[in-house]
Amino acid sequence: MSSRTVAKRGFNLDYIMWLFMRLSALALYALGLTGLVAALIMGARTQTDISTLLRWTFFPNPSHVISSDIVNLEPWINSFWQIIQMLVVFFGVTHGINGLRMVVEDFIGSSWWRVLWRGFIFFLWLFILLVAIYVVLAS
Amino acid sequence: MALNRKVSLFTGLKYKGGGPMWAWIMHRLSGLAMVFFVGGHIIAGFLTQQFGSEVGIAINTIYENWIFQLALFFLVIFHAVNGLRVVILDLWPALLEYQREAIWLQWLTFIPIYGLVLVVVLKDALGG
Amino acid sequence: MKKITLKLFRYNPETDKKPHYDTFKMEVEPTDRVLDLMEKVKGYEDGTLSFRRSCAHGVCGSCSMRINGENMLACKTLVQDLGTNKITVEPMLGLTVLKDMIVDMKPFFIHYESVMPFFVNDEPDPAQERLQSIEDRERFDDTTKCIMCGACTTSCPSFWANEEYVGPAAIVNAHRFIFDSRDKAAAERLQILNDQFGVYRCRTIFNCTVACPRDIQITKAIGEVKKAIATGNLD
Amino acid sequence: MKQHQFEVVVVGAGGAGLMAALYASKTASTAVISKLYPTRSHTGAAQGGIGAALGNLEEDHPEWHTYDTVKGSDYLGDQDAIEFMCEEAPSIVYELEHMGLPFSRTEDGKINQRPFGGHTNNDTGRPVTRACYAADRTGHMILQTLYQQSIKNKVTFYDEFQALDVIVTDDGVAGVVALEIATGEIHVFHAKSVIFATGGWGRVWEITSNAYAYTGDGVAITLRRGIPAQDMEFFQFHPTGIYKMGILITEGVRGEGGVLINGKGERFMEKEGYAPNVKELASRDVVSRAMYLEMKAGLGIEGKRYLYLDVTPEMVNKYATLDGRTRPDGTPYRVTSEEILSKLPDIIDFCETYLGINPVTQPMPVQPTAHYGMGGIPTDKFGQVVVDKKNKILPGLYAVGENGCVSVHGANRLGTNSLLDLVVFGKHSGLKAAEYARNSGYIPLPENPAAFAEEQLEALRNSDGDEHISDIGNEMKEVMFDHVGVFRTEEGMSKALGKIRELKVRFKNIKLDDKGSVFNMDILNAWELSNLLDIAEVTTVSALKRKESRGAHARDDYPERNDKKWMKHTLAWLKEDDVKLDYKDVVFTKFKPKKRVY
Ligand SMILES: Cc1cc2nc3c(=O)[nH]c(=O)nc-3n(C[C@H](O)[C@H](O)[C@H](O)COP(=O)(O)OP(=O)(O)OC[C@H]3O[C@@H](n4cnc5c(N)ncnc54)[C@H](O)[C@@H]3O)c2cc1C
Ligand code: HEM
Ligand code: SF4
Ligand code: F3S
Ligand code: FES
């Protein structure tokens, strides 16, 4: 069979976001897995209960383990986990907010409403992102 | 004169689309719910941290309530598992022919995971 | 013989403000088509009942409608297939109802026409046929089966929400050419579908695939188009 | 009333109409009006294939195709036209391929072909692979391809417009009157050339493979305008329709090796007197008659009025061995379930849907089904309508496809020749119509061009009797199927004619529920029934007069072909209370009439 290809062209928001939704979903899986495996290595199996472990898996923030039996919190609180958290925040929030955009745009065609909505959603995204990063850095 | 083409939510839900359609509806609902809850949780954390705000604490108290946690885990796990199905099918469109099986597989994955969470959270909540 | 209740959506724009339902009780053979029941009603109970039909064996695409809540061809659905004595027939969703089961198909065909649903190859024609291997022919066989009945597009929640979405039927017909090794306009079609109202409106809901009376793997076709846009590869 | 002006107006958007429109629109402003969305046309139902002597798999020649067609027509076909069609066939099939038609392919990438009834290797008398196909949806692909090309070439369509009348003046044709079904509004299309391509009229009969829309509108409209209909007594009954439903099981099934089996489990086609040579692949009239005789002798399945068509691999292989059938490369012919599945997917789907059986493992119950009208509006080989025995042309009027009669099918059409007829004569009539339009002006419209159409509709709208049109329709179908079907007798046909005339009277006393204008299918169905009644009458009168058996017209009381008296085409005019007949010569070129044996 001959191999047929076409030149790729015409980038558009919907294409990029479609790709991003899938990539971010996979990234969230990867980050969750990292959190889970690391937590187990760091002794979570004996020192925390499962719901705490799950909370940590979804979001490796020290406040999620602070009330557990962990003796040495040192490895749980450091800039590595802060970076991971920021990645989770970035992918999670962007994914979620874009999801919100998709849902809304399903119902409004290409009218001026759309421009308004996109503006609003952009600022919402920025706001939540900044707040979340602040929380991460501050805790 | 002719009827409006608009499909009301109710009419739409009455359409017999079967498993995949319901999976999509739940995916959408769970996604939106997460946006609100996770968004709310982040903001609540922020408020508490910054201002020791009562509202923030109140929100997080609800958030940490076991019933709420059960619901949230349901949404998160469903969304994650269903999302994975969608991503896999998108990467290998050839698998789309097995969409019925994919839905089965998805529930087969979901049930034990959520079952585990259910047991743990309930044991915590009722026992502890 | 089997006793059934047939509930029909009725709307006559010349006399009715709002639609209503009419109910008919009748004795039918389990092997009767839903279309046969409707012909009976039209012939002997109420001649004003209006619906489209032509071939009566599922190849012309005239008679798609919502039967017991699901899009089907009335001529390809037997009473016994429905497994119930209560049969409700309504027009397809998401298109304007003009009268009874008749909906305005124009938007549907406009979307179809928007994806260049025709063969393009500007090289001079050879004296005989253009050669194509059996595998290359097989590559797009599934999507050549489309009869443009509209069952897929009108079962798609994404289309209900927004009629600007080109819809599965149009994508199926674009797919038929994109993956035809003799055609030269795949890039243009992918360009058209790589749009806010193109393939990305598809949320993988699968209603279309379930509804298609020709058993076309529509969601798969859409997936292949999405993948082709992402990778530029047409194999 | 709205008025439009186009140089060429095509009525009907099936294979014939679209092909004509594609060619006419190259040089003339062209509109296509169709009562169905074009892709709903019945060309889409055609399954088996389109005939052309490409010789992709084995030796074949257009001359052989010509001879087979002449023989198939029982020598009633006009040989100049048949020669023209068969010579054009290969290039027009290539042209379809160049338009993108997705034919099934051979190993070396060429268009695939299969055997079909009546198509033979003239040297050996054995079936030849001549039907170019795309699985079992060849017609679907032709219709889709032509519609797609029409979109590409920006042909103007008036979808869901029903033509009701053609405007004929002393100087020629001036246009068409049509009803916009969605609004009930009358439109007058002022045109230089009008091409009728409205398909067939199988709905005259009870068991039929034809669509609801097959009501012979084109023939009825022209009949009412004093234009004759040719050879209407020749209506083909396809041997294999699904029992009781009439849905067609393509001859391709027999081409792939399927056999016909009677109630005793015998393969009866090999009996002496039927078709001992090519058996199931004899031409359709021969097979239908054999089936009818079997059933009449009580050899139907369980004594009922059906037989089995068996395409299970065991049966196919068994009889292929007995016949010594080989593949074109000389290896013995053997099939597997997979092969049958891949070549006949739609047939299998039909059987599963409507019969609940799988043809790969079970036989299909079949009976002859009304299928194809060989007759129609008389034309020459450019589709120009001719109105008397001297072939006088009516300027500006054209007819192609099933509603036209060139005549290439004579007394019996060979499978795959209709699709060929559509595209070959569609193309040439389109060219001719555009050429005529270029060289002539618009004939002024008469005073009130829509009067006749409106009069017909008004009469129906105001009808206030007590007859159901469904009753009239059903009685007509029944009597026509019983007495003007596969076998005919003087007595039966006289009875049928009496009944039809009675029904025509009763039709004046019908009752219609729908008085509205939006999608008033009630009135249109009644109007279509009036067309069917007219056609039934013309058919029966033509058949009664023809005292011989030829092709699809088989009479118990005159079982032999009579070339001395009846080697001629029938022309029939519809009069107020009667049908007037006249006859016209058949054109011969190369082939002298012989006894027809398969
Ligand atoms: C089941 C089946 C299988 C067949 N298989 C084969 C095969 O394998 N090979 C082969 O060669 N032949 C086959 N035939 C025969 C062949 O398909 C038909 O004869 C042929 O398709 C007729 O084409 P057409 O263009 O004349 O008419 P159609 O395709 O039927 O088109 C008729 C058009 O006229 C329009 N029309 C009708 N009346 C009006 C009106 N009053 N106003 C406006 N528009 C009108 C309709 O909307 C439609 O668009 C088969 C036929 C059937 C029924
Ligand atoms: C591992 C975790 C996750 C996976 C695998 C995942 C997967 C997906 C996928 C594949 C989609 C795209 C669906 C489509 O295009 O049709 C999607 C949509 C969406 N996701 Fe997620 N997601 C995850 C986590 C999240 C989180 C944490 C949120 C919220 C903050 C979220 C909110 C949404 C929303 C709102 C949508 C849009 C729903 C729609 O359009 O119907 N998701 N998700
Ligand atoms: S893809 Fe299937 S459902 Fe959609 S229009 Fe074509 S035949 Fe109908
Ligand atoms: S139903 Fe609609 S969302 Fe996609 S999979 Fe089918 S087009
Ligand atoms: S009538 Fe043709 S598809 Fe139903």
Side-chain angles (χ1 to χ4, degrees):
Chain A
M1 218 195 290
S2 63
S3 165
R4 294 170 70 232
T5 51
V6 289
K8 276 196 283 176
R9 55 177 161 149
F11 268 110
N12 75 70
L13 182 71
D14 288 272
Y15 168 62
I16 296 172
M17 291 325 288
W18 177 80
L19 214 61
F20 177 81
M21 286 304 265
R22 273 128 256 268
L23 293 180
S24 58
L26 290 178
L28 287 173
Y29 260 101
L31 291 166
L33 224 59
T34 314
L36 181 69
V37 171
L40 288 173
I41 292 173
M42 294 185 298
R45 201 169 62 80
T46 50
Q47 297 172 357
T48 68
D49 56 24
I50 293 193
S51 29
T52 311
L53 177 64
L54 281 175
R55 269 200 291 279
W56 168 269
T57 302
F58 288 124
F59 198 64
N61 184 290
S63 70
H64 279 157
V65 289
I66 215 124
S67 53
S68 65
D69 304 335
I70 292 171
V71 199
N72 177 14
L73 270 176
E74 198 87 326
W76 304 79
I77 308 176
N78 56 36
S79 47
F80 173 74
W81 289 118
Q82 279 185 336
I83 292 172
I84 296 283
Q85 280 175 58
M86 286 207 261
L87 285 176
V88 173
V89 161
F90 172 74
F91 283 120
V93 170
T94 315
H95 176 105
I97 294 286
N98 183 60
L100 183 67
R101 178 190 69 88
M102 282 162 55
V103 175
V104 171
E105 285 188 6
D106 268 359
F107 296 93
I108 50 174
S110 43
S111 61
W112 57 274
W113 269 107
R114 198 179 74 177
V115 183
L116 221 65
W117 253 101
R118 283 195 175 170
F120 172 72
I121 288 202
F122 178 75
F123 283 110
L124 189 69
W125 172 69
L126 217 57
F127 174 70
I128 297 194
L129 212 58
L130 290 177
V131 165
I133 289 174
Y134 185 88
V135 172
V136 169
L137 292 179
S139 54
Chain B
M1 257 250 315
L3 290 181
N4 195 320
R5 72 167 283 281
K6 200 134 207 81
V7 183
S8 73
L9 183 63
F10 182 64
T11 319
L13 286 180
K14 270 203 316 192
Y15 186 87
K16 272 212 226 127
M21 176 169 144
W22 282 104
W24 166 72
I25 291 173
M26 283 166 63
H27 191 79
R28 181 155 271 202
L29 288 179
S30 58
L32 286 180
M34 281 195 297
V35 171
F36 288 111
F37 298 148
V38 173
H41 185 53
I42 293 175
I43 290 171
F46 174 71
L47 292 178
T48 320
Q49 224 173 38
Q50 267 329 91
F51 315 109
S53 152
E54 298 283 320
V55 185
I57 295 174
I59 293 179
N60 275 352
T61 313
I62 300 177
Y63 198 85
E64 278 155 27
N65 172 284
W66 66 271
I67 299 177
F68 191 87
Q69 286 281 309
L70 270 190
L72 190 66
F73 273 124
F74 183 89
L75 298 179
V76 172
I77 296 172
F78 178 84
H79 190 97
V81 174
N82 192 55
L84 192 62
R85 173 182 67 101
V86 171
V87 173
I88 291 175
L89 293 182
D90 276 333
L91 286 179
W92 292 282
L95 294 177
L96 282 162
E97 247 173 87
Y98 304 99
Q99 42 108 354
R100 278 166 220 278
E101 290 79 356
I103 294 270
W104 281 110
L105 206 67
Q106 174 187 339
W107 285 111
L108 277 180
T109 323
F110 175 81
I111 290 169
I113 300 184
Y114 189 61
L116 183 76
V117 172
L118 204 66
V119 170
V120 171
V121 173
L122 279 182
K123 219 167 71 188
D124 260 19
L126 304 178
Chain C
M1 281 303 212
K2 185 172 169 166
K3 277 204 172 71
I4 57 124
T5 313
L6 183 65
K7 191 172 146 195
L8 299 174
F9 178 97
R10 300 304 305 275
Y11 172 72
N12 182 345
E14 291 170 285
T15 54
D16 306 344
K17 274 224 172 67
K18 279 206 305 203
H20 65 278
Y21 288 84
D22 279 346
T23 309
F24 301 90
K25 289 200 189 315
M26 51 170 91
E27 292 230 327
V28 301
E29 296 285 348
T31 51
D32 275 350
R33 300 166 265 212
V34 173
L35 186 69
D36 298 330
L37 314 190
M38 299 180 65
E39 283 288 333
K40 250 184 220 170
V41 170
K42 187 172 175 63
Y44 295 101
E45 310 265 355
D46 184 352
T48 64
L49 178 67
S50 304
F51 50 92
R52 293 190 178 103
R53 87 279 188 265
S54 182
C55 72
H57 65 287
V59 296
C60 77
S62 300
C63 67
S64 44
M65 39 192 99
R66 210 159 18 119
I67 301 173
N68 284 357
E70 211 177 330
N71 281 357
M72 306 182 190
L73 294 179
C75 70
K76 221 184 164 184
T77 308
L78 309 189
V79 172
Q80 64 192 20
D81 299 342
L82 294 168
T84 159
N85 299 334
K86 287 209 182 72
I87 301 175
T88 307
V89 185
E90 297 160 293
M92 298 188 284
L93 292 171
L95 293 170
T96 310
V97 175
L98 300 176
K99 186 177 181 185
D100 297 343
M101 307 306 163
I102 298 177
V103 295
D104 181 9
M105 294 294 285
K106 274 199 201 80
F108 176 83
F109 279 100
I110 289 171
H111 282 318
Y112 166 77
E113 286 172 23
S114 75
V115 299
M116 301 175 66
F118 40 75
F119 185 76
V120 179
N121 187 334
D122 295 331
E123 288 164 15
D125 292 331
Q128 298 188 332
E129 66 266 58
R130 289 198 166 85
L131 298 182
Q132 184 171 47
S133 70
I134 292 176
E135 300 80 55
D136 283 348
R137 167 64 181 75
E138 187 59 28
R139 180 66 190 84
F140 62 101
D141 185 63
D142 202 34
T143 41
T144 61
K145 296 189 305 201
C146 175
I147 53 175
M148 308 220 270
C149 67
C152 52
T153 298
T154 61
S155 73
C156 174
S158 219
F159 180 75
W160 299 339
N162 202 317
E163 66 181 325
E164 286 177 76
Y165 172 34
V166 291
I171 304 176
V172 160
N173 283 286
H175 178 283
R176 177 249 172 275
F177 290 101
I178 291 170
F179 292 94
D180 185 337
S181 59
R182 301 167 300 165
D183 184 90
K184 299 281 183 217
E188 280 99 314
R189 289 190 199 94
L190 292 178
Q191 172 90 342
I192 294 168
L193 291 172
N194 182 6
D195 175 86
Q196 228 240 315
F197 297 106
V199 285
Y200 300 115
R201 275 287 145 139
C202 170
R203 310 278 185 242
T204 352
I205 302 172
F206 281 104
N207 277 3
C208 54
T209 305
V210 177
C212 179
R214 302 286 283 166
D215 290 332
I216 298 172
Q217 291 292 331
I218 303 177
T219 317
K220 183 175 166 209
I222 300 176
E224 287 171 350
V225 173
K226 284 178 184 162
K227 197 169 168 187
I229 293 176
T231 62
N233 192 330
L234 298 178
D235 283 334
Chain D
M1 193 183 88
K2 279 201 184 122
Q3 199 167 317
H4 314 264
Q5 199 175 55
F6 290 93
E7 285 177 308
V8 179
V9 168
V10 182
V11 182
L18 290 175
M19 195 72 181
L22 268 178
Y23 273 91
S25 64
K26 287 189 176 163
T27 54
S29 70
T30 303
V32 181
I33 65 182
S34 172
K35 67 176 175 182
L36 306 169
Y37 274 103
T39 56
R40 318 280 186 235
S41 303
H42 211 50
T43 296
Q47 302 164 350
I50 174 168
L54 303 184
N56 277 355
L57 289 163
E58 56 182 314
E59 184 187 357
D60 198 6
H61 306 283
E63 301 78 58
W64 290 358
H65 190 181
T66 308
Y67 171 71
D68 289 337
T69 306
V70 170
K71 179 179 172 194
S73 79
D74 225 348
Y75 297 92
L76 193 72
D78 288 336
Q79 296 185 8
D80 57 339
I82 295 176
E83 223 167 275
F84 177 69
M85 177 176 85
C86 296
E87 293 288 339
E88 287 269 292
S91 63
I92 206 129
V93 166
Y94 291 139
E95 191 180 335
L96 288 173
E97 200 277 340
H98 297 155
M99 290 180 183
L101 198 143
F103 282 107
S104 294
R105 298 289 166 156
T106 63
E107 291 293 338
D108 43 6
K110 293 185 181 166
I111 295 171
N112 210 346
Q113 296 181 283
R114 60 162 56 120
F116 237 75
H119 293 280
T120 61
N121 176 318
N122 286 184
D123 291 342
T124 63
R126 295 214 153 206
V128 72
T129 49
R130 188 179 290 148
C132 313
Y133 68 94
D136 52 359
R137 20 183 185 265
T138 315
H140 167 78
M141 302 297 192
I142 289 184
L143 185 64
Q144 295 281 333
T145 303
L146 293 177
Y147 183 56
Q148 291 154 358
Q149 291 297 312
S150 306
I151 292 176
K152 188 177 181 187
N153 291 308
K154 305 206 163 50
V155 176
T156 311
F157 283 97
Y158 289 86
D159 295 332
E160 305 203 304
F161 275 59
Q162 185 140 357
L164 297 173
D165 191 19
V166 54
I167 305 165
V168 183
T169 69
D170 294 339
D171 305 320
V173 162
V176 177
V177 182
L179 178 86
E180 182 177 3
I181 303 177
T183 59
E185 197 172 359
I186 295 275
H187 292 244
V188 171
F189 292 84
H190 192 192
K192 294 179 185 172
S193 309
V194 172
I195 304 178
F196 270 92
T198 62
W201 49 92
R203 285 277 154 181
V204 164
W205 287 268
E206 184 185 357
I207 306 285
T208 177
S209 67
N210 285 187
Y212 277 105
Y214 258 24
T215 53
D217 298 1
V219 178
I221 288 172
T222 48
L223 272 172
R224 286 180 197 143
R225 282 297 183 182
I227 295 158
Q230 182 177 327
D231 292 340
M232 293 298 284
E233 64 270 41
F234 298 105
F235 198 90
Q236 178 171 78
F237 284 73
H238 193 290
T240 55
I242 291 181
Y243 179 46
K244 279 190 180 161
M245 303 186 105
I247 298 170
L248 194 81
I249 303 293
T250 173
E251 202 163 302
V253 169
R254 283 170 279 142
E256 300 300 341
V259 286
L260 285 163
I261 302 290
N262 67 16
K264 286 210 293 202
E266 299 165 331
R267 181 198 200 185
F268 56 87
M269 279 313 295
E270 58 194 11
K271 289 185 190 170
E272 205 50 53
Y274 292 166
N277 273 330
V278 291
K279 307 181 181 90
E280 280 80 7
L281 287 175
S283 83
R284 290 176 179 169
D285 55 332
V286 175
V287 181
S288 286
R289 254 190 318 271
M291 291 172 71
Y292 183 90
L293 290 172
E294 289 292 300
M295 297 191 286
K296 203 170 150 198
L299 292 174
I301 306 296
E302 293 168 6
K304 295 212 186 96
R305 293 186 63 86
Y306 69 92
L307 295 155
Y308 278 144
L309 172 60
D310 201 328
V311 71
T312 57
E314 303 85 73
M315 285 298 247
V316 171
N317 292 340
K318 175 176 157 198
Y319 285 107
T321 317
L322 287 176
D323 291 352
R325 182 171 171 188
T326 54
R327 298 217 179 251
D329 62 6
T331 54
Y333 187 82
R334 293 287 175 279
V335 296
T336 58
S337 321
E338 290 74 50
E339 196 176 337
I340 295 191
L341 257 165
S342 76
K343 286 191 168 163
L344 303 165
D346 278 8
I347 296 299
I348 289 166
D349 183 39
F350 295 152
C351 290
E352 286 179 340
T353 306
Y354 298 107
L355 298 166
I357 66 164
N358 180 355
V360 176
T361 55
Q362 287 162 290
M364 302 167 252
V366 292
Q367 79 182 118
T369 180
H371 185 58
Y372 182 88
M374 268 73 72
I377 309 167
T379 73
D380 66 5
K381 69 179 180 188
F382 301 109
Q384 308 185 86
V385 172
V386 294
V387 290
D388 64 11
K389 64 194 292 183
K390 300 227 178 63
N391 287 328
K392 184 179 143 212
I393 288 170
L394 175 63
L397 190 61
Y398 301 78
V400 275
E402 194 169 338
N403 77 179
C405 181
V406 184
S407 114
V408 283
H409 308 307
N412 172 63
R413 169 176 73 89
L414 289 191
T416 78
N417 270 357
S418 170
L419 291 176
L420 183 59
D421 166 5
L422 305 185
V423 286
V424 170
F425 296 105
K427 170 175 171 177
H428 287 283
S429 66
L431 289 171
K432 201 77 186 171
E435 182 192 312
Y436 173 78
R438 197 162 52 242
N439 297 328
S440 56
Y442 285 98
I443 296 172
L445 287 171
E447 191 58 33
N448 191 350
F452 185 45
E454 275 166 348
E455 186 188 309
Q456 292 178 52
L457 284 188
E458 261 338 279
L460 292 172
R461 200 185 300 273
N462 298 330
S463 61
D464 195 21
D466 44 22
E467 292 274 1
H468 271 304
I469 53 172
S470 323
D471 286 330
I472 297 181
N474 290 341
E475 287 176 38
M476 168 192 73
K477 290 172 186 174
E478 213 168 296
V479 75
M480 289 298 286
F481 196 70
D482 288 348
H483 298 298
V484 197
V486 177
F487 269 103
R488 304 164 172 185
T489 62
E490 187 81 22
E491 193 198 343
M493 287 191 288
S494 308
K495 194 172 148 199
L497 184 61
K499 182 79 184 180
I500 297 295
R501 294 206 158 129
E502 173 206 322
L503 291 173
K504 282 183 95 164
V505 174
R506 279 167 58 192
F507 184 81
K508 300 210 167 84
N509 189 33
I510 56 168
K511 149 178 169 277
L512 293 181
D513 296 337
D514 202 336
K515 309 284 180 200
S517 33
V518 176
F519 281 100
N520 190 333
M521 309 308 260
D522 215 15
I523 288 195
L524 289 177
N525 289 354
W527 182 76
E528 289 172 345
L529 178 60
S530 74
N531 296 347
L532 291 174
L533 284 167
D534 283 348
I535 287 176
E537 183 182 359
V538 169
T539 303
T540 312
V541 172
S542 304
L544 258 171
K545 280 285 155 56
R546 185 177 282 272
K547 296 193 183 345
E548 65 158 348
S549 289
R550 180 188 297 272
H553 175 68
R555 296 187 59 151
D556 276 350
D557 39 8
Y558 300 94
E560 293 302 321
R561 192 172 86 194
N562 183 344
D563 288 342
K564 261 227 211 71
K565 276 179 89 173
W566 290 104
M567 182 60 86
K568 53 192 181 187
H569 297 295
T570 309
L571 291 176
W573 284 263
L574 186 69
K575 299 287 169 189
E576 194 60 37
D577 300 300
D578 196 15
V579 175
K580 194 188 109 200
L581 298 180
D582 198 356
Y583 295 90
K584 131 177 145 177
D585 292 339
V586 176
V587 181
F588 285 89
T589 55
K590 288 196 194 121
F591 305 105
K592 293 267 157 318
K594 280 194 288 197
K595 192 165 163 53
R596 199 161 66 108
V597 281
Y598 282 99

